[in-house]
Amino acid sequence: MPNKQVIVLGLESSCDETAAAVVTGEKQILANVVRSQIKEHTPFGGVVPEIAARAHVTEMDRLIDRAMREAGIGYGDLSAVAATAGPGLIGGVLVGLMTAKAIASVAGVPLIGVNHLEGHALTARLTGDVEFPYLLLLVSGGHSQLLIVEGVGRYRRLGTTIDDAVGEAFDKTAKMLGLGFPGGPAVEKAAKSGDPTRFSFPRPMKGRAGCDFSFSGLKTAVRQAREKLGDGATDQDIADLAAGFQAAAIESLMDRVTQALDIFQNEYGAGGTLVVAGGVAANQQLKASLEELAAGAGIRLVVPPPKLCTDNGAMIAWAGVERLRAGFTDPLDLAARARWPLDPDAEPAPFAGYKA
Ligand code: KG4
Ligand code: ZN
């Protein structure tokens, strides 16, 4: 067949979701199977790396089999196999990458090691018409970053967190308030019946130059307020704390995005596109605030559907499609990396990682 359709299998296993998906070059998601490990980690109130790695080992083969059957294709139909090669919990990353290597060598197709953040960064191009360059707000459990996406493999980081990631701050706040795991949705739900003005929490980094984030001071302020209320805290107290935290976190995020928008529009002119990715993008309050900000700045806001904002295999498969088209494939001795910044200039030499 001269014009064989591009079809990529994508595997994700860098945190607590085991996922496999099949995506075509024409942006069709033929299968997107995700298995969350929430049940395994709930008793511990957070993700336990060893438990995560074991669950990925147990589940990955079964999920790939399901994805391939749902897509109605055989391994011979694949153009490439993509897997998250980092950053993330190294035991989990190894599971997906090793599996992808095995499939690539047996099926005789290229291996593509995808940076998990690149997966989030390019999702908006799978779900809609988004041209390079665009501004990206990446807000997940492990990352808070503002980046200019210039092209496939070309990312310029404008800001990152100097302590906790936003999602992590939501998760830790939920734990302090006894709202359970994962915390983001629980805090958002509790905040709905709370008064965001009752507690005056700090807006970290607000008014500061640059686009970096910080959330640990806010977290400490919430903890102190919670402790002051003691054992007699009512449901209303908890709702007010959740609402106060959420309002402060979002206001601080908006300030950072405003700074980044200035930089982006100064460089590329008025208009443009702001893309939001990562699990926290599911937060409706955040979305409403971003819509208001984007309208004021005359920039188009793109938020992919929540299912594709949280960790999934389709984003890795799509990044594989984009990398394959750009001519980026990887050797079978590609190393898995616990740390791997998207922008190589943004940090000193990354952690060398392990050979997978
Ligand atoms: O992107 P993701 O699925 O995994 C990582 O790569 O980290 O993001 C998960 C994070 C968790 O911290 C979770 O609490 C947060 O996204 N999250 C939310 C909401 N839904 C998920 N945070 C705030 N509001 C939400 N509705
Ligand atoms: Zn993620």
Side-chain angles (χ1 to χ4, degrees), residues 80-256:
V81 184
T84 298
L89 300 172
I90 197 70
V93 176
L94 281 165
V95 174
L97 187 57
M98 288 292 283
T99 309
K101 286 178 178 182
I103 295 171
S105 64
V106 172
V109 295
L111 170 76
I112 299 171
V114 172
N115 183 312
H116 179 85
L117 306 177
E118 179 168 59
H120 281 304
L122 298 176
T123 300
R125 287 167 53 80
L126 165 65
T127 58
D129 274 332
V130 177
E131 298 294 325
F132 299 123
Y134 54 89
L135 182 65
L136 174 74
L137 171 67
L138 174 57
V139 276
S140 72
H143 307 275
S144 302
Q145 301 194 350
L146 275 157
L147 298 145
I148 295 177
V149 181
E150 294 174 334
V152 178
R154 288 170 40 221
Y155 307 92
R156 190 143 56 87
R157 199 170 81 185
L158 302 179
T160 188
T161 183
I162 57 172
D163 39 60
D164 293 345
V166 203
E168 192 180 355
F170 269 91
D171 292 336
K172 286 178 178 170
T173 297
K175 202 170 176 180
M176 281 188 288
L177 301 183
L179 293 171
F181 169 85
V187 169
E188 181 173 18
K189 192 165 166 237
K192 282 207 174 93
S193 45
D195 172 6
T197 61
R198 174 171 160 200
F199 297 95
S200 60
F201 291 136
R203 272 58 177 156
M205 309 299 272
K206 191 173 175 187
R208 292 242 211 130
C211 306
D212 282 341
F213 307 91
S214 166
F215 292 99
S216 86
L218 170 59
K219 190 185 62 192
T220 306
V222 176
R223 187 176 56 240
Q224 285 167 345
R226 172 68 192 90
E227 281 167 6
K228 231 169 150 187
L229 290 168
D231 292 339
T234 64
D235 286 352
Q236 190 58 53
D237 290 331
I238 298 298
D240 292 345
L241 285 166
F245 162 79
Q246 182 173 266
I250 291 177
E251 198 176 316
S252 148
L253 277 170
M254 289 310 107
D255 180 74
R256 309 288 77 202

Side-chain angles (χ1 to χ4, degrees), residues 31-109:
N32 188 23
V33 188
V34 182
R35 184 191 175 272
S36 163
Q37 302 174 356
I38 286 178
K39 260 206 223 119
E40 282 97 319
H41 300 294
T42 295
F44 305 94
V47 179
V48 182
E50 182 65 17
I51 293 175
R54 279 170 196 270
H56 289 306
V57 170
T58 313
E59 298 295 331
M60 186 56 94
D61 290 359
R62 198 173 58 82
L63 293 192
I64 294 171
D65 187 47
R66 217 177 103 194
M68 294 294 284
R69 273 190 286 123
E70 272 181 26
I73 58 160
Y75 290 97
D77 298 316
L78 292 174
S79 315
V81 184
T84 298
L89 300 172
I90 197 70
V93 176
L94 281 165
V95 174
L97 187 57
M98 288 292 283
T99 309
K101 286 178 178 182
I103 295 171
S105 64
V106 172
V109 295

Side-chain angles (χ1 to χ4, degrees), residues 298-310:
I299 194 166
R300 177 164 76 119
L301 178 71
V302 175
V303 188
K307 237 180 88 179
L308 295 173
C309 277
T310 50

